[in-house]
Amino acid sequence: MSRQFPIQMKHAALLVLFMACFLFPRMSGAASSRHEFYYFNPDSPQSNLGSLKREMDAFFSQSKFAVSFQPFIHLIDLERKIKDSGPSFLIVPQWYIDDFGRANGFEPIITPAFKGAVTYNKTLLISKDSGIGVKDLRNRSLAMTSMGHEGEKKINTLLFPGMNLKAETINLVIVPKDTDALFALALGQVDAALVNKESFDRINSLNQKILQPLISLIDSEDIPMPVLCYRKGAVSEEDLKILIGIFTDKENILFPKKIMEMLNIDEWRKIQN
């Protein structure tokens, strides 16, 4: 028995070597072809990210394009994940690409549109009986979604251009989703809220009583819709062409209408660089 044991060990070693040579490379190749796809859009009226993930995963599974879709609620979680393992594809607000995206190798390729527009607007809401005007916002609380680490500068440009008011004098309360800001104001937790007008209209169409006590002070300048980007060096030209076709090929109607409705868009457009 003692003599047969080394022989058996050699046979086992040869078997392991055989598997490593023929099985593992195939597994590695399959894994490397799978793309990570991240999504972060706090201004979207779609708040059920679990449902969005299920629909996107099911769609990409049917499309035979190997993608793992992951939505994010918090900017800090997105940034941490990108730092740990950058995705191949990314849907994020334009301000993220301007501030951080291009430095990390992301390049916009597709933009969504809604009712023919590739921009949207936010509206500054207050309670009707608050007596607050724009000039009274100093030292008041304003609920809004994140606009990055320099959000105050963006607010000054988008909301207060030419006004004697700076976002630095307002107590900005950052919330994960656009609808969170809306409900925070409706419940009296903050003095004002800055929300996507589409979010306001959608909630108002469902239950007018919730938003009836609220009025709009001012609307923002045009804000670019979020963009779909790819990471340079992580995506082959062939895979990039496939993904663009999946999103923009109107004849094949490859991208599901249900997901478009969840994202509150009705068209994808290629960005002309």
Side-chain angles (χ1 to χ4, degrees):
M1 294 292 294
S2 61
R3 292 181 180 179
Q4 294 177 1
F5 185 75
I7 295 176
Q8 293 172 349
M9 289 292 291
K10 289 180 181 179
H11 289 170
L14 288 173
L15 180 60
V16 171
L17 180 62
F18 176 84
M19 292 177 65
C21 292
F22 292 93
L23 179 59
F24 291 163
R26 295 178 187 178
M27 293 175 63
S28 175
S32 63
S33 65
R34 188 174 183 84
H35 293 291
E36 295 290 325
F37 191 148
Y38 295 169
Y39 173 88
F40 173 74
N41 181 21
D43 288 346
S44 172
Q46 173 56 238
S47 58
N48 191 340
L49 296 185
S51 177
L52 177 62
K53 174 174 172 55
R54 287 191 296 273
E55 292 294 333
M56 290 288 279
D57 283 342
F59 164 65
F60 278 115
S61 177
Q62 294 173 359
S63 72
K64 309 301 182 183
F65 190 67
V67 164
S68 176
F69 182 80
Q70 179 61 56
F72 291 84
I73 296 177
H74 300 286
L75 176 61
I76 189 172
D77 294 331
L78 172 72
E79 292 178 326
R80 184 184 299 114
K81 190 66 174 178
I82 287 178
K83 185 177 181 180
D84 292 341
S85 57
S88 300
F89 303 106
L90 185 68
I91 293 180
V92 287
Q94 180 66 52
W95 57 257
Y96 182 88
I97 295 301
D98 294 340
D99 290 353
F100 318 105
R102 287 190 173 87
N104 290 316
F106 291 103
E107 189 67 29
I109 50 173
I110 304 173
T111 184
F114 183 63
K115 297 179 180 178
V118 294
T119 61
Y120 65 100
N121 302 93
K122 289 194 165 193
T123 186
L124 181 63
L125 300 169
I126 59 167
S127 296
K128 291 179 181 178
D129 58 359
S130 67
I132 297 175
V134 176
K135 61 179 175 35
D136 303 311
L137 288 173
R138 290 182 181 85
N139 301 318
R140 301 277 188 172
S141 54
L142 169 63
M144 58 173 285
T145 56
S146 174
M147 298 195 75
H149 300 299
E150 295 187 348
E152 292 176 344
K153 293 182 179 179
K154 296 180 179 66
I155 291 299
N156 291 335
T157 301
L158 290 171
L159 204 60
F160 306 134
M163 296 187 186
N164 187 25
L165 179 67
K166 299 296 181 183
E168 292 82 352
T169 65
I170 303 173
N171 179 21
L172 300 182
V173 180
I174 305 301
V175 295
K177 298 294 296 178
D178 204 54
T179 48
D180 294 334
L182 194 56
F183 288 124
L185 176 60
L187 294 173
Q189 297 173 340
V190 293
D191 298 312
L194 182 63
V195 304
N196 186 344
K197 293 183 70 174
E198 292 295 336
S199 296
F200 179 87
D201 292 341
R202 175 172 290 195
I203 299 297
N204 198 40
S205 66
L206 296 174
N207 191 334
Q208 293 184 352
K209 291 183 179 180
I210 296 177
L211 305 183
Q212 191 174 15
L214 310 181
I215 59 172
S216 174
L217 278 182
I218 51 175
D219 292 339
S220 74
E221 301 290 323
D222 290 344
I223 303 172
M225 294 281 269
V227 288
L228 191 157
C229 315
Y230 78 101
R231 185 161 59 93
K232 294 180 179 179
V235 182
S236 67
E237 290 187 10
E238 180 181 358
D239 280 357
L240 186 59
K241 184 177 180 180
I242 291 173
L243 184 86
I244 292 175
I246 287 174
F247 276 73
T248 63
D249 193 331
K250 297 179 181 178
E251 292 184 2
N252 293 331
I253 316 179
L254 292 177
F255 203 78
K257 184 178 179 180
K258 182 176 182 180
I259 297 179
M260 301 275 272
E261 291 174 349
M262 293 176 72
L263 297 175
N264 204 44
I265 61 176
D266 50 28
E267 183 184 2
W268 292 99
R269 298 179 183 177
K270 286 187 284 187
I271 296 175
Q272 303 300 325
N273 295 323

